[in-house]
Amino acid sequence: GKRIGSNPVNAVYQEFVLWNTSTHIISRADIKTNINTFYNIYNPTLSPLLLNSYPGAAAAYSLRQLSTSYTGSSILVQDNVGGATKAIDFDANGNLNTAELIAYGGANDVFVVAWYDQSGNNNVALQPSAASRPKIYDGTTGAVIVDANGKPAVSFDGSNDALNSTSNVSMPLNNAIAI
C-alpha cells in the first residue's frame, strides 16, 4: 500500500479501489495474501475478479476489469491537439485495450479526461481542464505509459494533474491508502 499526503504526487497508477470502512470490513492483508488471484502476476488467471470477491467498494478505478458485472469502458481520453474524445475499452483478457489507445494517439500525446468507476456507484473521476489531465500515452515514443511492472498506468505530473469524482474522491488521493 501507499499513503499519499496532501502534496501533489508525481507517480503512475494502474488502479485505485476504495472501500468505506465504516460500512465494509475489508482487510488489505487478505487481498495481499491472495494477490496473484486478483493481479495476475504469476500466471494468466483472470477469475475471480477483485470486486467479485470483495464487493462493496465506494469507488474502483482501474485499467483492467475488476468485476464481471462491469460492462463499460476503462477511460475516456483526448489527444494533446484537442481531437475528439475516445472511450478506451478492455481487451478480451480484461486489460486496457492498448492497441485501441495506440491507434487513437498515433504521434500525439494522450491524456485521461475521465476514469470510469467500476464499483457500480457511478463515481466517474473527471478532469475538464486539458492542462490538468494525467498522461497515459506518449506520442513521441509511441508507447503507453507503464508502471514499474510494465502494466499500463496513468501518470500524474506532481504539479497540477488530478481527476475529481462526483463523490468528492480525488486522485491523487489525500491521506488514502491505495492497494
Side-chain angles (χ1 to χ4, degrees), residues 16-18 51 57-62 66 70-75 114-125 165-167:
F16 275 101
V17 181
L18 308 170
L51 293 181
Y61 308 98
S62 183
L66 297 177
Y70 182 74
T71 58
S73 298
S74 175
I75 53 176
W115 201 345
Y116 297 111
D117 175 21
Q118 296 183 48
S119 73
N121 295 319
N122 200 31
N123 292 321
V124 178
S165 83
T166 53
S167 69

Side-chain angles (χ1 to χ4, degrees), residues 134-148:
K135 189 174 182 178
I136 190 155
Y137 173 81
D138 188 298
T140 302
T141 63
V144 175
I145 304 295
V146 296
D147 64 12

Side-chain angles (χ1 to χ4, degrees), residues 1-89:
K2 203 181 269 193
R3 188 169 293 277
I4 302 167
S6 61
N7 296 322
V9 175
N10 182 352
V12 294
Y13 296 97
Q14 185 182 31
E15 66 191 37
F16 275 101
V17 181
L18 308 170
W19 285 272
N20 182 339
T21 55
S22 65
T23 58
H24 291 86
I25 299 173
I26 299 294
S27 168
R28 186 171 48 148
D30 289 344
I31 294 171
K32 283 185 169 184
T33 299
N34 215 0
I35 198 162
N36 190 57
T37 302
F38 306 114
Y39 290 95
N40 194 22
I41 297 168
Y42 307 112
N43 60 46
T45 303
L46 294 177
S47 262
L49 298 179
L50 180 66
L51 293 181
N52 293 106
S53 294
Y54 295 92
Y61 308 98
S62 183
L63 298 178
R64 66 189 180 95
Q65 192 170 6
L66 297 177
S67 170
T68 55
S69 64
Y70 182 74
T71 58
S73 298
S74 175
I75 53 176
L76 181 70
V77 298
Q78 186 175 41
D79 61 23
N80 62 316
V81 295
T85 58
K86 169 85 173 141
I88 305 296
D89 297 320

Side-chain angles (χ1 to χ4, degrees), residues 97-122:
N97 189 333
T98 56
E100 185 179 30
L101 180 58
I102 292 165
Y104 169 79
N108 299 321
D109 290 343
V110 178
F111 298 86
V112 177
V113 175
W115 201 345
Y116 297 111
D117 175 21
Q118 296 183 48
S119 73
N121 295 319
N122 200 31

